[in-house]
Amino acid sequence: MEKEIIAYLDNEKIVDTQSVDSKNSKALKELYFDNSKPSLEVLRHSCAHLMAQAIKILYPSAKFFVGPVVEEGFYYDFRVDSKIGEEDLAKIEKKMKELADSGFEIQKYEITKDEAIKKFGDDDLKQEVLLRIPNGKVSIYKQGEFEDLCRGPHIPSTKFLKFFKLTRVAGAYLGGDEKREMLTRIYGIAFADKESLKEHLHIIEEAKKRDHRKLGTELKLFTFDEDIGGGLPLWLNNGARLRSKLEQMLFKIHRLRGYEPVRGPELLKADAWKISGHYTNYKENMYFTQIDEQEYGIKPMNCVGHIKIYQSDVRSYRDLPLKFFEYGVVHRHEKSGVLHGLFRVREFTQDDAHIFCMPSQIKEQVLEILAFVDKLMKIFDFSYEMEISTKPEKAIGEDEIWDTATKALKEALDEQGLKYGIDEGGGAFYGPKIDIKITDALKRKWQCGTIQVDFNLPNRFKLEYTDSDNTKKQPVMLHRAILGSFERFIGILTEHCGGEFPFFIAPIQVGIVPISQNHSDYAKKIQKILLELGVDSQIYEKDESLSKKIRTAEKQRLPMIIVLGDEETQKQSVALRDRRAKEQKNLSLEEFTNLIKEKMNEVHF
């Protein structure tokens, strides 16, 4: 993959564009790229070098660290004497276009690592990069006066870089280590054609409007306060309502699917984490404390607690599969630089479950979970895809166990004809997994749910059940989350629907607008009726004009607004504004309550 460049010359695929004679103008004129993943990786990486070349000209003191291709495009980390802000991106971009039009030939040459160390002797950032490169030959790519250490490959000339845009400036710790200096990072995007770039930029602008941090403030869902610490969300009334409705809905679905609610402690002795392998493989992500001169770890996952609940009783094959679920609050150590609204926090709640079953039940349980996933994603109008992640470098357990577990996942998906990708080395340290990646309204992909097959933890904790032949056997443990965490999912859902939440979980489902104080009692009567139906409402009774009250309610993106005046009070009716259906109509109070009941029953499990 690394060496492959998808480009075409006379409609024939070229595997390595370095073989294209860059001095042959006819060849270069007919060379073009598409928007396939391998092609975009080369275009974007070449564009990163173009950006670095422009920065070096505009800011001669700049020194560069790394400039990789990432999911959202590309970036370069660098040190510069001047402060660079968003307002400087246009200047850098203009210089990039000038350099691209100049058609610099992009050339590759190789030297030994020792030669590279001497060549970049006065550049401490290059020395940092060289520390990460094994001994042997080092490749360098050069265009004009700019050159940098790089594995490549690159396009043969800057003239093929036509459709790009710098998107934002950020700070980044050197090597991702928050104890080291902060570098400047500039992100950008590039495509093979103008239309794709235009569509992507439209999505970026739309994403800014839908940013869950912005909407979270506007809709009074959640807030953060540095006085209590970063990455620790405070749920406001509206957010707590929304979250509670989501939890209640999921609680009902779990019970209907045979899951039993359990709850484990948030603090466990370090000895338990040593048995599980978390102490060795996950310690850097955990918080520890001392109690009575013993070390305790705050849980980053719920699995150990559920294992101990399994061990609290004698289990038979007749009990299996045994399904435990918990809305477990977990804590993980995240660096300050990666915290991002609800997407990356230090405390969050998983919609977690663990299924203890016999090996022969793995396939049916995985398929049942996938049916659960499908149902839930359709409720929220998400499409999704799946990926099997295999054994990582840092793992526990024998290869044979991993192979058995990975095979079970593949067979379950293959049997149903379900498509999936493979993420080599992306599994949890204790077992392979299926990751559920959802696609939102802006065509962005998010990793949420996961299904993990685990033979290792049952073995480490010596879990048993009595089989039909009265012998002791070891169960298999399936780790499963569908939303991933309530925090992250609510952040994704907020951006997916732009704050226009489905009626059944909207924090305020009905806005009640009495025209004057004379209609206040009727408004309170309706509010009480709605509350008995499990529907949250808000009465807008400030001494303001009717139009201002309605505008205030509309800014909260409420699904429904009812206006109450003399006629409605006398006739016991409502003037309804249905935001989702985009219609207005008058209904009797009975008709309105029936409509509400229908709305609340629209979601079938």
Side-chain angles (χ1 to χ4, degrees), residues 120-223:
F120 297 105
D122 62 346
D123 191 331
D124 61 311
L125 293 185
K126 283 290 168 286
Q127 296 299 323
E128 285 281 345
V129 175
L130 285 164
L131 288 174
R132 295 161 168 78
I133 297 176
N135 293 329
K137 291 286 187 179
V138 174
S139 61
I140 296 175
Y141 280 81
K142 177 179 172 64
Q143 53 198 65
E145 297 299 314
F146 177 79
E147 59 183 3
D148 201 0
L149 297 165
C150 187
R151 289 181 301 178
H154 283 273
I155 60 176
S157 170
T158 61
K159 70 167 56 180
F160 297 108
L161 299 172
K162 299 176 184 291
F163 310 109
F164 55 82
K165 182 75 177 174
L166 301 186
T167 53
R168 64 189 175 97
V169 181
Y173 290 110
L174 176 59
D177 185 348
E178 59 186 358
K179 294 179 181 177
R180 306 197 66 180
E181 71 171 296
M182 178 77 77
L183 301 177
T184 299
R185 173 178 291 182
I186 294 182
Y187 285 92
I189 191 72
F191 286 93
D193 61 86
K194 185 177 182 179
E195 292 72 24
S196 298
L197 177 62
K198 185 177 178 181
E199 180 184 2
H200 181 82
L201 295 178
H202 169 72
I203 288 173
I204 289 177
E205 287 306 308
E206 188 62 28
K208 288 178 182 177
K209 297 176 189 175
R210 294 172 179 239
D211 190 316
H212 76 284
R213 294 167 298 181
K214 172 176 171 286
L215 291 175
T217 299
E218 291 176 4
L219 303 180
K220 299 178 181 178
L221 301 177
F222 59 88
T223 187

Side-chain angles (χ1 to χ4, degrees), residues 59-75:
Y59 307 92
S61 66
K63 290 187 177 181
F64 297 88
F65 183 48
V66 292
V69 174
V70 289
E71 184 109 8
E72 60 270 38
F74 62 85
Y75 70 77

Side-chain angles (χ1 to χ4, degrees), residues 54 110 142 154 213 295 311 393:
E110 292 183 335
K142 177 179 172 64
H154 283 273
R213 294 167 298 181
E295 190 176 27
Q311 288 180 318
E393 198 171 304

Side-chain angles (χ1 to χ4, degrees), residues 124 421 441 504 578:
D124 61 311
F504 61 92
D578 190 325

Side-chain angles (χ1 to χ4, degrees), residues 47 50 53 93-104 143 157-164:
C47 209
L50 180 68
Q53 184 184 11
E93 200 173 287
K94 181 181 178 183
K95 178 58 68 175
M96 288 172 66
K97 289 176 180 175
E98 291 174 7
L99 295 171
D101 290 342
S102 297
F104 287 99
Q143 53 198 65
S157 170
T158 61
K159 70 167 56 180
F160 297 108
L161 299 172
K162 299 176 184 291
F163 310 109
F164 55 82

Side-chain angles (χ1 to χ4, degrees), residues 184-461:
T184 299
R185 173 178 291 182
I186 294 182
Y187 285 92
I189 191 72
F191 286 93
D193 61 86
K194 185 177 182 179
E195 292 72 24
S196 298
L197 177 62
K198 185 177 178 181
E199 180 184 2
H200 181 82
L201 295 178
H202 169 72
I203 288 173
I204 289 177
E205 287 306 308
E206 188 62 28
K208 288 178 182 177
K209 297 176 189 175
R210 294 172 179 239
D211 190 316
H212 76 284
R213 294 167 298 181
K214 172 176 171 286
L215 291 175
T217 299
E218 291 176 4
L219 303 180
K220 299 178 181 178
L221 301 177
F222 59 88
T223 187
F224 291 89
D225 190 324
E226 286 303 317
D227 287 345
I228 66 168
L232 302 170
L234 292 163
W235 291 89
L236 307 179
N237 291 6
N238 286 346
R241 285 178 179 178
L242 183 153
R243 179 182 173 132
S244 176
K245 288 170 186 175
L246 187 58
E247 289 175 353
Q248 289 173 40
M249 182 191 80
L250 280 172
F251 190 93
K252 182 177 180 181
I253 300 176
H254 277 93
R255 297 294 291 119
L256 289 171
R257 288 181 173 268
Y259 288 82
E260 293 293 339
V262 296
R263 194 182 190 289
E266 293 181 30
L267 196 64
L268 288 77
K269 284 184 178 179
D271 290 347
W273 300 117
K274 289 175 181 177
I275 295 172
S276 69
H278 288 83
Y279 200 88
T280 301
N281 296 278
Y282 207 74
K283 186 179 180 181
E284 67 273 14
N285 300 106
M286 296 176 65
Y287 298 105
F288 289 87
T289 188
Q290 292 281 329
I291 302 175
D292 296 332
E293 299 182 356
Q294 282 194 307
E295 190 176 27
Y296 281 72
I298 299 174
K299 68 176 180 181
M301 302 171 187
N302 300 297
C303 41
V304 175
H306 291 191
I307 285 170
K308 302 311 288 184
I309 291 170
Y310 180 92
Q311 288 180 318
S312 69
D313 204 349
V314 176
R315 308 296 180 181
S316 161
Y317 74 97
R318 292 188 179 89
D319 301 320
L320 305 182
L322 194 57
K323 304 178 178 182
F324 294 151
F325 81 103
E326 174 184 3
Y327 300 152
V329 178
V330 299
H331 294 79
R332 296 182 187 176
H333 175 61
E334 298 285 2
K335 295 178 180 178
S336 299
V338 301
L339 299 176
H340 182 79
L342 296 179
F343 292 158
R344 200 76 175 263
V345 290
R346 289 178 173 142
E347 179 194 90
F348 56 94
T349 305
Q350 294 179 304
D351 67 317
D352 210 0
H354 293 93
I355 301 171
F356 299 89
C357 64
M358 296 182 284
S360 61
Q361 296 172 320
I362 293 175
K363 189 188 300 182
E364 66 180 82
Q365 291 307 307
V366 169
L367 292 175
E368 194 279 332
I369 295 169
L370 291 175
F372 194 166
V373 169
D374 188 66
K375 188 75 174 178
L376 205 55
M377 292 305 110
K378 284 178 179 174
I379 287 174
F380 292 106
D381 196 29
F382 283 116
S383 59
Y384 65 93
E385 57 190 42
M386 291 174 286
E387 192 171 72
I388 291 181
S389 300
T390 61
K391 186 178 181 180
E393 198 171 304
K394 199 173 184 181
I396 59 175
E398 301 300 322
D399 286 345
E400 185 179 350
I401 292 175
W402 277 83
D403 291 342
T404 301
T406 304
K407 184 180 178 183
L409 290 177
K410 289 180 178 179
E411 286 180 350
L413 296 179
D414 289 340
E415 185 178 287
Q416 297 297 307
L418 299 171
K419 293 181 180 179
Y420 58 90
I422 298 291
D423 176 17
E424 294 291 352
F429 72 85
Y430 47 77
K433 59 180 179 171
I434 297 174
D435 283 331
I436 313 297
K437 298 188 176 182
I438 65 177
T439 302
D440 69 9
L442 298 182
K443 300 179 182 178
R444 299 172 300 179
K445 297 188 188 303
W446 305 89
Q447 200 278 308
C448 283
T450 186
I451 307 168
Q452 302 167 0
V453 179
D454 185 358
F455 289 87
N456 286 303
L457 290 185
N459 181 52
R460 283 178 165 242
F461 284 93

Side-chain angles (χ1 to χ4, degrees), residues 432-587:
K433 59 180 179 171
I434 297 174
D435 283 331
I436 313 297
K437 298 188 176 182
I438 65 177
T439 302
D440 69 9
L442 298 182
K443 300 179 182 178
R444 299 172 300 179
K445 297 188 188 303
W446 305 89
Q447 200 278 308
C448 283
T450 186
I451 307 168
Q452 302 167 0
V453 179
D454 185 358
F455 289 87
N456 286 303
L457 290 185
N459 181 52
R460 283 178 165 242
F461 284 93
K462 309 303 179 188
L463 300 189
E464 293 181 338
Y465 68 91
T466 303
D467 206 352
S468 57
D469 60 2
N470 214 33
T471 60
K472 296 293 184 182
K473 298 285 177 64
Q474 180 181 293
V476 180
M477 186 177 182
L478 303 183
H479 306 249
R480 186 242 70 187
I482 295 178
L483 302 185
S485 78
F486 286 100
E487 285 76 7
R488 181 174 166 79
F489 184 78
I490 287 172
I492 294 169
L493 182 63
T494 300
E495 297 194 3
H496 176 59
C497 63
E500 304 269 355
F501 296 108
F503 185 87
F504 61 92
I505 63 163
I508 303 173
Q509 291 144 304
V510 180
I512 304 173
V513 183
I515 293 176
S516 73
Q517 288 296 317
N518 297 332
H519 315 114
S520 182
D521 288 343
Y522 183 42
K524 290 175 182 176
K525 174 185 174 180
I526 293 176
Q527 186 176 50
K528 185 178 180 181
I529 291 171
L530 291 173
L531 199 55
E532 288 173 349
L533 294 173
V535 174
D536 284 303
S537 63
Q538 181 172 330
I539 299 175
Y540 294 84
E541 52 185 345
K542 282 187 178 180
D543 188 15
E544 297 173 336
S545 68
L546 176 61
S547 59
K548 187 170 183 181
K549 289 178 184 177
I550 292 174
R551 278 200 306 275
T552 300
E554 286 178 338
K555 283 180 181 178
Q556 290 294 297
R557 294 170 169 80
L558 309 188
M560 290 185 181
I561 298 172
I562 56 174
V563 179
L564 309 176
D566 290 338
E567 183 178 348
E568 288 77 24
T569 302
Q570 290 167 8
K571 292 183 177 179
Q572 296 288 283
S573 63
V574 302
L576 172 66
R577 294 168 178 247
D578 190 325
R579 185 182 178 93
R580 305 295 187 263
K582 294 182 173 59
E583 61 182 15
Q584 299 182 29
K585 55 188 173 183
N586 293 306
L587 298 173

